mmCIF file of all heavy atoms in Angstrom:
data_model
loop_
_atom_site.group_PDB
_atom_site.id
_atom_site.type_symbol
_atom_site.label_atom_id
_atom_site.label_comp_id
_atom_site.label_asym_id
_atom_site.label_seq_id
_atom_site.Cartn_x
_atom_site.Cartn_y
_atom_site.Cartn_z
ATOM 1 N N ARG F 17 -2.758 -15.235 -10.669
ATOM 2 C CA ARG F 17 -3.719 -15.359 -9.577
ATOM 3 C C ARG F 17 -3.519 -14.258 -8.547
ATOM 4 O O ARG F 17 -4.320 -14.114 -7.621
ATOM 5 C CB ARG F 17 -3.594 -16.719 -8.889
ATOM 6 C CG ARG F 17 -2.245 -16.959 -8.223
ATOM 7 C CD ARG F 17 -2.288 -18.095 -7.220
ATOM 8 N NE ARG F 17 -3.251 -17.870 -6.184
ATOM 9 C CZ ARG F 17 -3.063 -17.062 -5.146
ATOM 10 N NH1 ARG F 17 -1.933 -16.367 -5.024
ATOM 11 N NH2 ARG F 17 -3.989 -16.926 -4.217
ATOM 12 N N LYS F 18 -2.477 -13.462 -8.712
ATOM 13 C CA LYS F 18 -2.191 -12.370 -7.775
ATOM 14 C C LYS F 18 -1.288 -11.364 -8.462
ATOM 15 O O LYS F 18 -0.300 -11.736 -9.086
ATOM 16 C CB LYS F 18 -1.510 -12.917 -6.516
ATOM 17 C CG LYS F 18 -1.009 -11.862 -5.541
ATOM 18 C CD LYS F 18 -0.359 -12.535 -4.334
ATOM 19 C CE LYS F 18 0.270 -11.515 -3.394
ATOM 20 N NZ LYS F 18 1.465 -10.882 -3.982
ATOM 21 N N TYR F 19 -1.651 -10.097 -8.375
ATOM 22 C CA TYR F 19 -0.759 -9.030 -8.829
ATOM 23 C C TYR F 19 -1.105 -7.770 -8.076
ATOM 24 O O TYR F 19 -2.017 -7.030 -8.431
ATOM 25 C CB TYR F 19 -0.867 -8.804 -10.347
ATOM 26 C CG TYR F 19 0.045 -7.694 -10.825
ATOM 27 C CD1 TYR F 19 1.408 -7.723 -10.535
ATOM 28 C CD2 TYR F 19 -0.461 -6.614 -11.533
ATOM 29 C CE1 TYR F 19 2.241 -6.706 -10.950
ATOM 30 C CE2 TYR F 19 0.364 -5.588 -11.957
ATOM 31 C CZ TYR F 19 1.718 -5.639 -11.664
ATOM 32 O OH TYR F 19 2.553 -4.614 -12.069
ATOM 33 N N ASP F 20 -0.370 -7.551 -6.998
ATOM 34 C CA ASP F 20 -0.533 -6.369 -6.157
ATOM 35 C C ASP F 20 0.844 -5.726 -6.055
ATOM 36 O O ASP F 20 1.774 -6.318 -5.494
ATOM 37 C CB ASP F 20 -1.047 -6.773 -4.775
ATOM 38 C CG ASP F 20 -1.372 -5.572 -3.890
ATOM 39 O OD1 ASP F 20 -0.870 -4.470 -4.174
ATOM 40 O OD2 ASP F 20 -2.123 -5.738 -2.909
ATOM 41 N N CYS F 21 0.983 -4.537 -6.603
ATOM 42 C CA CYS F 21 2.291 -3.876 -6.619
ATOM 43 C C CYS F 21 2.844 -3.650 -5.213
ATOM 44 O O CYS F 21 4.061 -3.566 -5.028
ATOM 45 C CB CYS F 21 2.198 -2.550 -7.358
ATOM 46 S SG CYS F 21 1.673 -2.705 -9.072
ATOM 47 N N ALA F 22 1.945 -3.557 -4.218
ATOM 48 C CA ALA F 22 2.389 -3.372 -2.838
ATOM 49 C C ALA F 22 2.936 -4.660 -2.239
ATOM 50 O O ALA F 22 3.534 -4.627 -1.163
ATOM 51 C CB ALA F 22 1.229 -2.854 -1.980
ATOM 52 N N GLU F 23 2.735 -5.790 -2.924
ATOM 53 C CA GLU F 23 3.241 -7.081 -2.452
ATOM 54 C C GLU F 23 4.085 -7.727 -3.542
ATOM 55 O O GLU F 23 3.967 -8.903 -3.854
ATOM 56 C CB GLU F 23 2.082 -7.993 -2.049
ATOM 57 C CG GLU F 23 1.267 -7.459 -0.877
ATOM 58 C CD GLU F 23 0.134 -8.380 -0.483
ATOM 59 O OE1 GLU F 23 -0.091 -9.392 -1.190
ATOM 60 O OE2 GLU F 23 -0.526 -8.108 0.534
ATOM 61 N N TRP F 24 4.967 -6.937 -4.111
ATOM 62 C CA TRP F 24 5.778 -7.380 -5.243
ATOM 63 C C TRP F 24 6.696 -8.520 -4.821
ATOM 64 O O TRP F 24 7.286 -8.508 -3.753
ATOM 65 C CB TRP F 24 6.605 -6.211 -5.767
ATOM 66 C CG TRP F 24 7.254 -6.482 -7.084
ATOM 67 C CD1 TRP F 24 8.468 -7.059 -7.298
ATOM 68 C CD2 TRP F 24 6.711 -6.201 -8.377
ATOM 69 N NE1 TRP F 24 8.728 -7.168 -8.641
ATOM 70 C CE2 TRP F 24 7.666 -6.644 -9.322
ATOM 71 C CE3 TRP F 24 5.526 -5.630 -8.826
ATOM 72 C CZ2 TRP F 24 7.469 -6.527 -10.697
ATOM 73 C CZ3 TRP F 24 5.321 -5.508 -10.182
ATOM 74 C CH2 TRP F 24 6.286 -5.945 -11.108
ATOM 75 N N GLY F 25 6.833 -9.517 -5.703
ATOM 76 C CA GLY F 25 7.681 -10.657 -5.405
ATOM 77 C C GLY F 25 8.305 -11.234 -6.657
ATOM 78 O O GLY F 25 8.281 -10.630 -7.739
ATOM 79 N N GLY F 26 8.835 -12.451 -6.516
ATOM 80 C CA GLY F 26 9.563 -13.075 -7.608
ATOM 81 C C GLY F 26 8.710 -13.384 -8.826
ATOM 82 O O GLY F 26 9.159 -13.221 -9.968
ATOM 83 N N THR F 27 7.472 -13.845 -8.610
ATOM 84 C CA THR F 27 6.603 -14.155 -9.745
ATOM 85 C C THR F 27 6.325 -12.904 -10.563
ATOM 86 O O THR F 27 6.376 -12.923 -11.803
ATOM 87 C CB THR F 27 5.280 -14.775 -9.263
ATOM 88 O OG1 THR F 27 5.553 -16.008 -8.601
ATOM 89 C CG2 THR F 27 4.342 -15.026 -10.434
ATOM 90 N N GLU F 28 6.045 -11.812 -9.869
ATOM 91 C CA GLU F 28 5.784 -10.547 -10.568
ATOM 92 C C GLU F 28 7.016 -10.099 -11.368
ATOM 93 O O GLU F 28 6.890 -9.644 -12.513
ATOM 94 C CB GLU F 28 5.382 -9.469 -9.565
ATOM 95 C CG GLU F 28 4.031 -9.685 -8.911
ATOM 96 C CD GLU F 28 4.062 -10.637 -7.728
ATOM 97 O OE1 GLU F 28 5.152 -11.173 -7.413
ATOM 98 O OE2 GLU F 28 3.010 -10.869 -7.116
ATOM 99 N N THR F 29 8.189 -10.246 -10.764
ATOM 100 C CA THR F 29 9.422 -9.871 -11.460
ATOM 101 C C THR F 29 9.638 -10.742 -12.685
ATOM 102 O O THR F 29 10.036 -10.256 -13.757
ATOM 103 C CB THR F 29 10.624 -9.989 -10.514
ATOM 104 O OG1 THR F 29 10.420 -9.143 -9.380
ATOM 105 C CG2 THR F 29 11.917 -9.575 -11.212
ATOM 106 N N ALA F 30 9.363 -12.042 -12.547
ATOM 107 C CA ALA F 30 9.543 -12.956 -13.673
ATOM 108 C C ALA F 30 8.582 -12.631 -14.808
ATOM 109 O O ALA F 30 8.968 -12.640 -15.990
ATOM 110 C CB ALA F 30 9.342 -14.396 -13.196
ATOM 111 N N VAL F 31 7.332 -12.332 -14.475
ATOM 112 C CA VAL F 31 6.343 -12.008 -15.513
ATOM 113 C C VAL F 31 6.698 -10.687 -16.193
ATOM 114 O O VAL F 31 6.595 -10.563 -17.420
ATOM 115 C CB VAL F 31 4.931 -11.953 -14.901
ATOM 116 C CG1 VAL F 31 3.919 -11.405 -15.902
ATOM 117 C CG2 VAL F 31 4.506 -13.349 -14.432
ATOM 118 N N LEU F 32 7.130 -9.710 -15.405
ATOM 119 C CA LEU F 32 7.564 -8.440 -15.992
ATOM 120 C C LEU F 32 8.716 -8.668 -16.965
ATOM 121 O O LEU F 32 8.723 -8.131 -18.083
ATOM 122 C CB LEU F 32 7.998 -7.478 -14.882
ATOM 123 C CG LEU F 32 8.685 -6.187 -15.330
ATOM 124 C CD1 LEU F 32 7.766 -5.361 -16.225
ATOM 125 C CD2 LEU F 32 9.123 -5.363 -14.114
ATOM 126 N N GLY F 33 9.695 -9.480 -16.558
ATOM 127 C CA GLY F 33 10.827 -9.748 -17.433
ATOM 128 C C GLY F 33 10.421 -10.453 -18.708
ATOM 129 O O GLY F 33 10.901 -10.111 -19.804
ATOM 130 N N LEU F 34 9.524 -11.422 -18.601
ATOM 131 C CA LEU F 34 9.075 -12.151 -19.783
ATOM 132 C C LEU F 34 8.303 -11.244 -20.731
ATOM 133 O O LEU F 34 8.558 -11.228 -21.944
ATOM 134 C CB LEU F 34 8.205 -13.337 -19.355
ATOM 135 C CG LEU F 34 7.540 -14.130 -20.478
ATOM 136 C CD1 LEU F 34 8.564 -14.686 -21.442
ATOM 137 C CD2 LEU F 34 6.675 -15.255 -19.901
ATOM 138 N N CYS F 35 7.358 -10.476 -20.178
ATOM 139 C CA CYS F 35 6.551 -9.594 -21.034
ATOM 140 C C CYS F 35 7.405 -8.517 -21.700
ATOM 141 O O CYS F 35 7.212 -8.207 -22.888
ATOM 142 C CB CYS F 35 5.433 -8.955 -20.215
ATOM 143 S SG CYS F 35 4.163 -10.101 -19.644
ATOM 144 N N ALA F 36 8.338 -7.947 -20.946
ATOM 145 C CA ALA F 36 9.219 -6.930 -21.532
ATOM 146 C C ALA F 36 10.114 -7.548 -22.606
ATOM 147 O O ALA F 36 10.362 -6.932 -23.655
ATOM 148 C CB ALA F 36 10.065 -6.288 -20.429
ATOM 149 N N GLY F 37 10.599 -8.755 -22.345
ATOM 150 C CA GLY F 37 11.412 -9.430 -23.349
ATOM 151 C C GLY F 37 10.625 -9.750 -24.600
ATOM 152 O O GLY F 37 11.110 -9.579 -25.727
ATOM 153 N N LEU F 38 9.392 -10.222 -24.446
ATOM 154 C CA LEU F 38 8.549 -10.502 -25.608
ATOM 155 C C LEU F 38 8.257 -9.232 -26.393
ATOM 156 O O LEU F 38 8.209 -9.242 -27.639
ATOM 157 C CB LEU F 38 7.242 -11.156 -25.156
ATOM 158 C CG LEU F 38 7.348 -12.594 -24.629
ATOM 159 C CD1 LEU F 38 6.028 -13.036 -24.015
ATOM 160 C CD2 LEU F 38 7.766 -13.548 -25.740
ATOM 161 N N LYS F 39 8.076 -8.135 -25.674
ATOM 162 C CA LYS F 39 7.833 -6.856 -26.350
ATOM 163 C C LYS F 39 9.016 -6.487 -27.237
ATOM 164 O O LYS F 39 8.841 -5.993 -28.355
ATOM 165 C CB LYS F 39 7.576 -5.771 -25.315
ATOM 166 C CG LYS F 39 7.231 -4.407 -25.919
ATOM 167 C CD LYS F 39 6.989 -3.364 -24.826
ATOM 168 C CE LYS F 39 6.678 -2.006 -25.441
ATOM 169 N NZ LYS F 39 6.484 -0.969 -24.396
ATOM 170 N N SER F 40 10.228 -6.753 -26.740
ATOM 171 C CA SER F 40 11.417 -6.458 -27.542
ATOM 172 C C SER F 40 11.501 -7.337 -28.785
ATOM 173 O O SER F 40 12.207 -7.008 -29.739
ATOM 174 C CB SER F 40 12.684 -6.636 -26.691
ATOM 175 O OG SER F 40 12.941 -8.012 -26.442
ATOM 176 N N GLN F 41 10.759 -8.469 -28.769
ATOM 177 C CA GLN F 41 10.727 -9.368 -29.913
ATOM 178 C C GLN F 41 9.512 -9.108 -30.808
ATOM 179 O O GLN F 41 9.224 -9.885 -31.711
ATOM 180 C CB GLN F 41 10.682 -10.814 -29.425
ATOM 181 C CG GLN F 41 11.845 -11.226 -28.545
ATOM 182 C CD GLN F 41 13.159 -11.242 -29.281
ATOM 183 O OE1 GLN F 41 13.244 -11.768 -30.394
ATOM 184 N NE2 GLN F 41 14.196 -10.664 -28.691
ATOM 185 N N GLY F 42 8.778 -8.024 -30.513
ATOM 186 C CA GLY F 42 7.629 -7.666 -31.334
ATOM 187 C C GLY F 42 6.344 -8.381 -30.970
ATOM 188 O O GLY F 42 5.390 -8.382 -31.754
ATOM 189 N N THR F 43 6.291 -8.975 -29.769
ATOM 190 C CA THR F 43 5.105 -9.699 -29.330
ATOM 191 C C THR F 43 4.390 -8.918 -28.238
ATOM 192 O O THR F 43 5.014 -8.513 -27.248
ATOM 193 C CB THR F 43 5.493 -11.092 -28.798
ATOM 194 O OG1 THR F 43 6.028 -11.858 -29.884
ATOM 195 C CG2 THR F 43 4.292 -11.822 -28.225
ATOM 196 N N ALA F 44 3.093 -8.724 -28.397
ATOM 197 C CA ALA F 44 2.297 -7.992 -27.414
ATOM 198 C C ALA F 44 1.850 -8.942 -26.302
ATOM 199 O O ALA F 44 1.516 -10.103 -26.546
ATOM 200 C CB ALA F 44 1.077 -7.367 -28.082
ATOM 201 N N SER F 45 1.866 -8.442 -25.070
ATOM 202 C CA SER F 45 1.406 -9.211 -23.919
ATOM 203 C C SER F 45 0.282 -8.463 -23.223
ATOM 204 O O SER F 45 0.319 -7.234 -23.118
ATOM 205 C CB SER F 45 2.551 -9.440 -22.929
ATOM 206 O OG SER F 45 3.552 -10.272 -23.479
ATOM 207 N N VAL F 46 -0.715 -9.214 -22.751
ATOM 208 C CA VAL F 46 -1.790 -8.658 -21.941
ATOM 209 C C VAL F 46 -1.853 -9.477 -20.662
ATOM 210 O O VAL F 46 -1.986 -10.704 -20.712
ATOM 211 C CB VAL F 46 -3.148 -8.724 -22.672
ATOM 212 C CG1 VAL F 46 -4.243 -8.082 -21.824
ATOM 213 C CG2 VAL F 46 -3.055 -8.057 -24.031
ATOM 214 N N VAL F 47 -1.725 -8.813 -19.518
ATOM 215 C CA VAL F 47 -1.720 -9.503 -18.230
ATOM 216 C C VAL F 47 -3.107 -9.419 -17.612
ATOM 217 O O VAL F 47 -3.672 -8.328 -17.473
ATOM 218 C CB VAL F 47 -0.666 -8.892 -17.284
ATOM 219 C CG1 VAL F 47 -0.800 -9.467 -15.879
ATOM 220 C CG2 VAL F 47 0.741 -9.144 -17.829
#
């Protein structure tokens, strides 16, 4: 519901970590 790089926070960090981790497992993510 929000993704503004100028207002980066915990949710954004968590989503980045999940998507990057899934990528390492061969799974594509689209935000």
Side-chain angles (χ1 to χ4, degrees):
R17 63 163 302 282
K18 173 180 175 290
Y19 180 54
D20 186 340
C21 300
E23 297 181 354
W24 192 272
T27 297
E28 291 83 359
T29 301
V31 171
L32 171 60
L34 174 58
C35 292
L38 290 171
K39 183 180 179 182
S40 72
Q41 301 294 314
T43 295
S45 294
V46 182
V47 172

